[in-house]
Amino acid sequence: MQTSSINIELISKLKSANKILFFTGAGISAESGIPTFRGKDGIWNKLKPEELANFNAFLKNPDLVWEWYQYRRKIVNETNPNKGHYAIKEFENYYKEVNVVTQNVDNLHRRAGTKNIFELHGNIERNYCVDCYKNFDNVESDNSKVPHCKYCGGLIRPDVVWFGEMLPQEIFSEAEQKAKMCDICFVVGTTGIVYPAAYIPMIAKENGAFLVEINLNETEISDKMDLSLFGKSGEILPLIITKVREMKLKN
Ligand code: BV8
Ligand code: ZN
């Protein structure tokens, strides 16, 4: 584990890199005001994921789960990307390829303008019918009653990946390919305990990438990192992109 300053090794890697991958979790959106899952203010503290973010819970109590997602959608709609999201977007000006593999469902990377996004756990702004799979992104509903499909009467659910559900195969395999080819993999704001998403940084490492963790504190995967930068991603990422801008403008 390294110091928390942006060290010489990272600077030299940033100089020689062509392809950058960002693997992001809930922590990158915390400074936008979206609660994380497992932090001290985490949403899982009050409610257990098993009770909400899984299909059986939804079938057992569709109104409760629907209400929880409406509450989270409202928070997402009232927030904006933060400096961390925008710093990631700016990497696109200086590198041949920048990919963002995110576990987040809040759409903030897209709203910050990032081009190549791989949403491993879906997107809270999308919904679909559990029976006929038609999509209902802007479905009218009162917040506490799950809506029904107007074509077949099926329950409408958020287009997110729940526990016990497979990740979108195509998106995951593309993200794996990008992880295999990247020179630097930034692991930003994630506890790194949710699989198979958490394999992505490990795949990058196995293929020779330089792994940099950006987190408030140590995590279960800190020991796998080449460098850990401790602090807020909304402060550290702008510092890094400032260094990159200076370097690239000098050359
Ligand atoms: C599946 C979407 C099987 C919904 C979520 C091994 C292999 C495969 C599966 C498993 C496995 N081991 C266990 C499993 C099962 C399970 C799993 O991983 N469980 C864990 C908890 C042990 N995985 C699954 O069920 C997956 N599906 O495997 O299906 C299968 C296979 C074949 C066929 C059929 C089925 C599906 C997992 C996806 C679950 N969906 N969310 C929703 O959002 O409502 S999970 C949820 O956790 C979010 O997606 C979130 O992104 C993800 C990870 O959490 P983090 O992003 O890391 O957030 P967290 O709060 O934990 O941490 C925040 C971090 O940020 C902290 O470290 C904090 O310090 C830091 N931070 C805070 N502020 C800042 C900051 N850092 C920097 N700056 C700041 N300002
Ligand atoms: Zn339907």
Side-chain angles (χ1 to χ4, degrees), residues 17 53 72 99 113 121 127 137-138 152 174 192 199 222 249:
R72 286 177 61 196
N99 293 298
H121 292 160
N127 302 297
D137 291 352
N138 308 309
C152 77
E174 266 191 80
Y199 286 131
S222 295
L249 294 181

Short mmCIF file of all heavy atoms in Angstrom, two decimals, residues 17 53 72 99 113 121 127 137-138 152 174 192 199 222 249:
data_model
loop_
_atom_site.label_atom_id
_atom_site.label_comp_id
_atom_site.label_asym_id
_atom_site.label_seq_id
_atom_site.Cartn_x
_atom_site.Cartn_y
_atom_site.Cartn_z
N ALA A 17 0.79 5.69 -20.68
CA ALA A 17 -0.45 4.92 -20.93
C ALA A 17 -1.17 5.38 -22.21
O ALA A 17 -1.06 6.53 -22.63
CB ALA A 17 -1.39 5.09 -19.74
N ALA A 53 -33.34 -5.54 -2.88
CA ALA A 53 -32.74 -5.66 -4.22
C ALA A 53 -32.66 -7.11 -4.68
O ALA A 53 -31.60 -7.62 -5.01
CB ALA A 53 -31.35 -5.01 -4.22
N ARG A 72 -35.35 6.34 -4.68
CA ARG A 72 -33.96 6.48 -5.16
C ARG A 72 -33.92 7.26 -6.48
O ARG A 72 -33.00 8.05 -6.72
CB ARG A 72 -33.32 5.11 -5.31
CG ARG A 72 -32.99 4.50 -3.96
CD ARG A 72 -32.41 3.13 -4.09
NE ARG A 72 -31.17 3.15 -4.86
CZ ARG A 72 -30.63 2.03 -5.38
NH1 ARG A 72 -31.23 0.86 -5.23
NH2 ARG A 72 -29.51 2.09 -6.02
N ASN A 99 -12.41 3.91 -20.88
CA ASN A 99 -13.66 3.14 -20.67
C ASN A 99 -14.08 3.25 -19.21
O ASN A 99 -13.23 3.17 -18.32
CB ASN A 99 -13.43 1.67 -21.04
CG ASN A 99 -13.20 1.52 -22.54
OD1 ASN A 99 -14.07 1.84 -23.35
ND2 ASN A 99 -11.99 1.11 -22.92
N GLY A 113 -21.11 13.21 -19.64
CA GLY A 113 -20.65 13.22 -21.03
C GLY A 113 -19.70 12.10 -21.41
O GLY A 113 -19.23 12.02 -22.54
N HIS A 121 -24.70 -3.14 -13.70
CA HIS A 121 -25.87 -3.43 -12.87
C HIS A 121 -27.13 -2.69 -13.34
O HIS A 121 -28.06 -2.53 -12.56
CB HIS A 121 -25.57 -3.06 -11.41
CG HIS A 121 -24.54 -3.95 -10.79
ND1 HIS A 121 -23.81 -3.61 -9.67
CD2 HIS A 121 -24.09 -5.18 -11.14
CE1 HIS A 121 -22.98 -4.59 -9.35
NE2 HIS A 121 -23.12 -5.55 -10.24
N ASN A 127 -37.13 0.96 -16.97
CA ASN A 127 -38.00 -0.07 -16.38
C ASN A 127 -38.45 -1.02 -17.48
O ASN A 127 -38.42 -0.66 -18.67
CB ASN A 127 -39.28 0.58 -15.81
CG ASN A 127 -39.02 1.63 -14.77
OD1 ASN A 127 -38.47 1.31 -13.71
ND2 ASN A 127 -39.34 2.88 -15.06
N ASP A 137 -39.79 3.34 -19.74
CA ASP A 137 -38.82 4.18 -19.02
C ASP A 137 -39.49 5.32 -18.28
O ASP A 137 -39.13 5.65 -17.18
CB ASP A 137 -37.75 4.68 -20.00
CG ASP A 137 -36.89 3.48 -20.43
OD1 ASP A 137 -37.08 2.41 -19.83
OD2 ASP A 137 -36.08 3.62 -21.34
N ASN A 138 -40.53 5.93 -18.92
CA ASN A 138 -41.13 7.04 -18.16
C ASN A 138 -42.55 6.69 -17.76
O ASN A 138 -43.50 7.36 -18.12
CB ASN A 138 -41.12 8.32 -19.01
CG ASN A 138 -39.72 8.57 -19.53
OD1 ASN A 138 -38.78 8.56 -18.73
ND2 ASN A 138 -39.57 8.70 -20.83
N CYS A 152 -49.80 -6.34 -21.27
CA CYS A 152 -50.13 -7.72 -20.82
C CYS A 152 -50.50 -7.77 -19.35
O CYS A 152 -50.73 -8.85 -18.80
CB CYS A 152 -48.93 -8.64 -21.09
SG CYS A 152 -47.60 -8.41 -19.89
N GLU A 174 -17.83 -7.46 -22.83
CA GLU A 174 -17.12 -6.31 -23.42
C GLU A 174 -16.26 -5.63 -22.36
O GLU A 174 -15.10 -5.28 -22.60
CB GLU A 174 -18.13 -5.29 -23.96
CG GLU A 174 -18.46 -5.46 -25.44
CD GLU A 174 -19.24 -4.26 -25.95
OE1 GLU A 174 -18.63 -3.22 -26.24
OE2 GLU A 174 -20.48 -4.38 -25.98
N GLY A 192 -15.72 -3.15 -3.44
CA GLY A 192 -15.15 -4.26 -4.21
C GLY A 192 -15.56 -5.63 -3.70
O GLY A 192 -14.82 -6.59 -3.80
N TYR A 199 -14.67 -8.74 -10.31
CA TYR A 199 -13.58 -9.43 -11.04
C TYR A 199 -12.88 -8.47 -12.00
O TYR A 199 -11.73 -8.68 -12.37
CB TYR A 199 -14.12 -10.62 -11.86
CG TYR A 199 -14.52 -11.85 -11.07
CD1 TYR A 199 -15.75 -12.46 -11.27
CD2 TYR A 199 -13.67 -12.40 -10.12
CE1 TYR A 199 -16.14 -13.58 -10.54
CE2 TYR A 199 -14.05 -13.52 -9.38
CZ TYR A 199 -15.28 -14.11 -9.60
OH TYR A 199 -15.67 -15.21 -8.88
N SER A 222 -7.75 -3.54 -1.19
CA SER A 222 -6.59 -2.61 -1.17
C SER A 222 -5.28 -3.37 -1.34
O SER A 222 -4.35 -2.88 -1.98
CB SER A 222 -6.57 -1.83 0.14
OG SER A 222 -7.69 -0.99 0.23
N LEU A 249 0.08 19.12 -22.13
CA LEU A 249 0.26 20.44 -22.79
C LEU A 249 1.75 20.72 -22.98
O LEU A 249 2.17 21.35 -23.91
CB LEU A 249 -0.42 21.54 -21.96
CG LEU A 249 -1.96 21.40 -21.89
CD1 LEU A 249 -2.59 22.52 -21.08
CD2 LEU A 249 -2.59 21.33 -23.30
#
